[in-house]
């Protein structure tokens, strides 16, 4: 399997470059780009896993989330520059839904088919639940409702204020996790989870190099991919909203997918959950507010006001995830429930 | 007490038939029908209890929920055929509210007055919470919000898609509970709860026969009852919505009521909760989507879009129930809180 | 510190009276009133603490909540009489937000900076969560949504019905806590928390006297304070909504603030939480419904219908608090999260 992906990477990247330069048909390029990104994501997954073995579950998960979302941040900045605010908000929504429902759902399901009951640190689960509630139910809902009675200028002021608070709280959350409360909330079974005897596939240096190169490649290919969307949408009858929320999110989060599911299959649920939920939090508390602030330097600035279907979908997803994951335990059916919610929202955005 | 109900059944059923044939005044027939159904429900409760003693709490609870909702499904299909979509949606809402707030509330209260603290399987509670969130907060909320920007055809497509997913997930939930994870999540005190030494009142065969006959009788009487609503509504000043949400639900769920409260009084909270919440889930994940699909064969098809008051009442009820029941423990005050929520919603629907 | 407050009280109260009689400028009086109230609040905190040492955490917390909200009730009745219904609803909202997010947030943060992990009775936390859900998510949300399709008379009937139920359930909650289930849900570590050897600062009689006198003084000064709001609002560019929700709530809940934070700093989290959440419940389940009923005797009656931003802010705050406090454990970051939510809502109401 690994060999197939290696082949796909070494074939996909040059073919992507060549096809892009020669202006091959969009639908063909769309498929090539997607396959290449997924192969690259598998590579990133292996590199992250090697690093995770060396650095422990938390840093490993954090690394993963960072490398997954760097791509997203870069693409979104390009889109903002082009004034595509609706697409950016849609892809942020898609990232939240994709990570919470699709990535976590697939991880719980695949892991749960192999293991009857899988556990992860219940303190981390609760910490994450609190932040999900804060980011989505407070920081995203408030501007939606309050902006109804506000003019554009005040809506933007509110968005800027909330963005700054989100970024600050995100930094404090890192400080809390890595400094003041590092190791304070260890679950009983996490001792065994460290498995210091396990050998990493790649050395730290090699893994970091591969991660860096893959990220650059993913960024390049993703950027090309975005430009095929309009024609692909026309060809398949997909709306911009559907492409933003579902397609961009699935392809854009392929890296998280690959590694979270692999971790769940190896029963390392702490890492799988850290990737899925941690990535969501990074999108909601870091990527989204940074984009709001960055947009101030562009012609059209972006407020933190989603469409009502986007917001309601995120709120539902958060409430469902919190209830399902708050006990620090999963099984295949909980995974299936999250996946079913994702499919429902997918149908909804497709028909919208 | 049992003798009174036996008398009422053997008097009520023939009187219902005679009164209906002789066209006695609606208000009088309304009272006769209600009393008969409640007496029949008590019979069904005893039969179910006998079966539960033989088959264990889960199957017992499942049986109960099935026999309670078969009636509802039949009545609703008749109503759909008559094009009364608003009444069907209202009675689905009423079933959800009635089971979550009235049945569970009364069980917790009655049981809690006798026992200081009552416990039930916390894993079942969490499993149920996840499904309640999925069914109400995702599957019912999404079409409500998304349909605002959709035409009728797309709303119907979304409703059909969601209905299929609901039914599939409901079947997977049964598979999970009865096959792959049967007995995996036993609570410590459930061992004692089996009480294999307890004698069932009726033999398995007799109990099944009585259940079947009672169901047929309840179906007949309920069907007659529905036709008295218009005149009774006029006589008492009740709106169609109030009759659908409150009256149909109370009388239609009398069976669940009777047996859930009896179980709670005997401190068998696993069964009481299974009846109340399991019945809600069956209504939301099976009865409602089946009705959507069945309605496609009738003149007027029914989408999964409730009125806003109906949806908000269900969402509130789910959030309240999840928070109250998620710890696997109840007392009289928690029961009273659920009942108070029911009364508030009852007043609301009465005044609407 | 205590000496400073003593000084401020003995200076502030007469200066307030004199300045008010001599009609000093509003902005100056505003500052004097605020400082006086905060100093009085500190006094009340010390008195309550003395009483809490004698009477145990529950009664102590109850006393505190009562003395904090008596002030609020009195001011609101004056405002109702003047027909300022919007201001009353805003200050009720502000009290809920202030207690849940600001008081609890500050307590968790200050306590958490000193202690790594602070625990409180998890049964109380769950009991409170259930009531918060009931009061805000059921009793406040239902009239908001249902009143959209109702005329004024029916909205008022619904409000009266809900108010009566809220007050009854509040009384039953006291009965549950103090009579039928007193001491049933003791946490393991609460034994040590009683600390019967601790000496109260003041005797019971002296503490009660100081509490009573301070309450009268706070009521007087608060009443004067309210009349400076219009001019202060003009001077600083604050809207009536912002003054009602944020300023009145901060100053009006200074007493809760002072004592909750002091308790948290002493690691008596049971009392700190009882003050913050108990006070919220008293506002939502007692002060608000009593005001609805009292308003019937005035020219303009007040229904239980908040503005949408007010309601959504309260709902978000409750969901966040429930998720954060439901595990019976806090740390500085959870406090900071609540404070961040408060700041977001503050900005929102400021810009509205």
């Amino acid at each position: 399997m690994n060999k197939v992906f290696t082949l796909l990477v070494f074939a996909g990247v040059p073919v992507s470059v060549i096809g892009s330069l020669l202006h091959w048909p969009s639908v063909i390029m769309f498929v090539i780009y997607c396959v290449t990104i997924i192969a690259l994501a598998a590579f990133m997954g292996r590199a992250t896993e090697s690093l995770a073995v060396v650095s422990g579950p938390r840093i490993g998960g954090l690394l993963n989330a960072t490398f997954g979302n760097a791509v997203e941040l870069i693409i979104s900045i390009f889109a903002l520059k082009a004034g595509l605010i609706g697409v950016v908000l849609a892809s942020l929504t898609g990232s939240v839904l994709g990570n919470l429902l699709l990535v976590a759902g697939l991880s719980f399901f695949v892991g749960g088919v192999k293991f009857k009951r899988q556990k992860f640190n219940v303190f981390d689960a609760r910490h994450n639940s609190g932040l999900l509630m804060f980011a989505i139910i407070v920081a995203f809902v408030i501007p939606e409702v309050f902006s109804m009675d506000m003019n554009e200028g005040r809506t933007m002021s509110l968005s800027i204020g909330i963005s700054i608070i989100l970024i600050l709280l995100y930094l404090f959350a890192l400080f809390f996790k890595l400094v003041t409360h590092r190791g304070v909330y260890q679950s009983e079974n996490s001792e065994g989870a460290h498995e210091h005897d396990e050998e990493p596939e790649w050395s730290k240096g090699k893994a970091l190099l591969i991660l860096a190169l893959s990220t650059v490649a993913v960024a390049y290919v993703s950027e090309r991919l975005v430009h095929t969307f309009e024609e692909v949408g026309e060809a398949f009858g997909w709306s911009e909203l559907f492409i933003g929320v579902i397609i961009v999110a699935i392809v854009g989060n392929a890296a998280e997918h690959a590694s979270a599911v692999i971790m769940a299959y190896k029963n390392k649920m702490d890492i799988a959950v850290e990737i899925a939920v941690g990535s969501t939090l990074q999108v909601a508390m870091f990527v989204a507010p940074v984009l709001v602030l960055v947009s101030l330097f562009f012609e059209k600035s972006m407020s933190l006001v989603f469409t009502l279907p986007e917001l309601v979908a995120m709120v539902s997803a958060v409430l469902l995830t919190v209830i399902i994951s708050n006990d620090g335990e999963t099984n295949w059916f909980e995974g299936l429930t999250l996946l079913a919610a994702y499919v429902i929202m997918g149908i909804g955005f497709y028909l919208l």
Side-chain angles (χ1 to χ4, degrees), chain A:
Chain A
M1 193 64 186
N2 278 343
K3 281 182 186 165
V4 177
F5 281 127
T6 311
L7 195 76
L8 281 173
V9 166
F10 284 106
V13 176
V15 170
S16 295
V17 175
I18 294 165
S20 149
L21 292 174
L22 298 181
H23 297 291
W24 291 358
S26 285
V27 177
I28 290 172
M29 288 316 296
F30 173 78
V31 177
I32 292 173
Y33 292 148
C34 286
V35 171
T36 307
I37 289 178
I38 288 161
L40 281 165
F43 244 61
M44 292 174 74
R46 281 161 69 195
T48 311
E49 206 189 337
S50 297
L51 287 175
V53 170
V54 183
S55 5
R58 279 216 194 73
I59 307 288
L62 221 97
L63 274 171
N64 215 310
T66 312
F67 278 89
N69 290 316
V71 178
E72 211 155 356
L73 192 58
I74 293 164
I75 301 179
S76 296
I77 289 176
F78 281 113
L80 273 185
K81 213 176 163 186
L84 302 170
I85 287 168
V87 174
V88 172
L89 287 173
S91 84
L92 288 172
T93 304
S95 247
V96 168
L97 299 181
N99 280 309
L100 283 187
L101 301 179
L102 188 57
V103 178
L106 218 54
S107 301
F108 294 177
F109 182 75
V110 169
V113 165
K114 199 172 167 202
F115 302 95
K116 211 148 211 144
R117 294 169 73 169
Q118 295 191 294
K119 300 198 180 192
F120 54 95
N121 191 322
V122 72
F123 296 104
D124 281 355
R126 286 177 193 156
H127 174 80
N128 287 336
S129 294
L131 284 176
L132 282 175
M133 294 301 257
F134 174 79
I136 312 292
I137 314 260
V138 175
F140 285 5
V141 167
I142 293 294
E144 185 91 9
V145 175
F146 281 57
S147 70
M148 289 174 190
D149 303 327
M150 280 181 185
N151 61 33
E152 229 171 282
R154 284 177 176 248
T155 301
M156 203 57 221
S157 302
L158 180 58
S159 300
I160 294 168
I162 293 177
S163 296
I164 293 168
I165 292 166
L166 276 168
I167 294 170
L168 287 177
L169 198 69
Y170 184 70
L171 297 178
F172 276 115
L174 290 180
F175 182 67
F176 173 80
K177 237 179 166 176
L178 302 175
V179 182
T180 74
H181 282 63
R182 181 175 199 148
V184 170
Y185 298 106
Q186 288 295 11
S187 58
E188 321 80 61
N189 65 329
S190 66
E191 224 52 50
H194 278 126
E195 299 173 42
H196 286 289
D197 48 335
E198 200 190 342
E199 278 293 303
E201 186 187 358
W202 296 323
S203 71
K204 200 172 175 179
K206 191 177 172 189
L208 280 173
L209 184 71
I210 289 176
L211 252 188
L213 287 178
S214 305
T215 301
V216 172
V218 164
Y220 171 79
V221 180
S222 303
E223 209 272 325
R224 304 304 323 159
L225 178 75
V226 170
H227 289 96
T228 66
F229 284 158
E230 203 182 320
E231 286 180 51
V232 170
E234 273 170 32
F236 292 111
W238 294 343
S239 69
E240 275 220 332
L241 189 68
F242 179 72
I243 291 177
V245 175
I246 304 298
I247 306 299
V248 172
I250 289 181
V251 178
N253 291 305
E256 279 95 336
H257 262 85
S259 36
V261 174
I262 290 169
M263 291 301 168
Y265 190 73
K266 293 190 174 181
N267 207 15
K268 297 183 180 180
M269 293 310 283
D270 277 336
I271 309 184
V273 171
E274 184 62 43
I275 293 170
V277 181
S279 191
T280 310
L281 289 174
Q282 214 190 18
V283 168
M285 299 184 69
F286 189 75
V287 176
V290 162
L291 289 173
V292 168
L293 298 181
V294 165
S295 81
L296 295 174
F297 299 100
F298 296 145
E299 219 171 313
K300 256 170 96 179
S301 51
M302 180 177 88
S303 69
L304 210 53
V305 178
F306 293 86
T307 65
L308 195 59
E310 287 170 348
L311 186 74
V312 168
M314 284 192 281
V315 168
S316 302
V318 164
L319 290 175
L320 183 64
T321 310
V322 164
I323 289 297
I324 281 187
S325 72
N326 226 16
D327 59 352
E329 221 192 296
T330 65
N331 54 53
W332 68 262
F333 184 72
E334 292 188 349
L336 198 66
T337 305
L338 294 176
L339 290 173
Y342 189 72
V343 174
I344 286 179
M345 292 176 190
I347 297 174
F349 283 111
Y350 178 77
L351 292 170
L352 212 61

